[in-house]
Every structure is written in structure tokens, then in C-alpha cells.
Amino acid sequence: MEIFGREPALVIGAVGAALTVLASLNVPGIDAGAAAAITAFVAALIIAVTTRPVAPALFTGVVAAGAALVAEYGMNVPDGVTGAVSAAVLAGFALFGIRPQVEPTTGG
């Protein structure tokens, strides 16, 4: 799967490079830690969205990267909350994403 006609890894690299430039220019709100957290979140999101067949566990990586991102900006996200949101994501995929793709067997 391509994004803007390019491979996902190239898009992730471009985002990371752009954020590194912004951090080096001392743009308010973007320091080295924030650039790394944003890049990790974007990478996790792109990998989760472009991987086929859909892998629900990859979306827990998006949740973890999102928690690291908001923590970088000062919000305290307890591990229990991150775990609970990850569990909810997996339950949602099991309920709406994975199970409808599976057809029951009639035995044999």
C-alpha cells in the first residue's frame, strides 16, 4: 500500500526529518523528545493502517506511542490507562474487525 504514491517507510522518514529540522530551529513546542515521540506515533499509525491483513496488535502500538506523545507534552498517562485503552482496542477489533471476517465451519 502506498501513501501519496510513495512507500510508507519514505513517508515516515520524511516526517521524522521534517520534525528534526523543526526541533533544530527551536520551533516552540517541538524539541528533540517531542520530535521523536511524534515520529514514533506517526510511524506506528502508518504501519498499523497499511499492514494487510489487518493486525489488531499493531494498533496497541499506536495507543502506546500516543501515550508517550501526550506524556511528552506533560500529560500524565498511567500505565493502567494505556493498558485499558489497548485492551479496548483489541476488544473492538475482535468484535467489529476480525470476527466478521471469519466464517463458521459446518464440520466435516
Side-chain angles (χ1 to χ4, degrees), residues 67-100:
L69 177 59
V70 297
E72 180 64 34
Y73 285 100
M75 184 177 173
N76 183 19
V77 182
D79 291 342
V81 171
T82 303
V85 172
S86 294
V89 167
L90 289 176
F93 270 99
L95 190 60
F96 299 111
I98 300 303
R99 295 301 303 160

Side-chain angles (χ1 to χ4, degrees), residues 3-92:
I3 300 171
F4 305 119
R6 305 284 183 209
E7 290 295 320
L10 182 60
V11 174
I12 293 166
V15 168
L19 289 167
T20 300
V21 168
L22 293 176
S24 69
L25 294 173
N26 294 320
V27 172
I30 304 287
D31 59 9
I38 294 168
T39 302
F41 179 74
V42 169
L45 186 64
I46 288 174
I47 291 167
V49 169
T50 58
T51 299
R52 294 293 177 262
V54 174
L58 291 177
F59 287 88
T60 63
V62 174
V63 171
L69 177 59
V70 297
E72 180 64 34
Y73 285 100
M75 184 177 173
N76 183 19
V77 182
D79 291 342
V81 171
T82 303
V85 172
S86 294
V89 167
L90 289 176

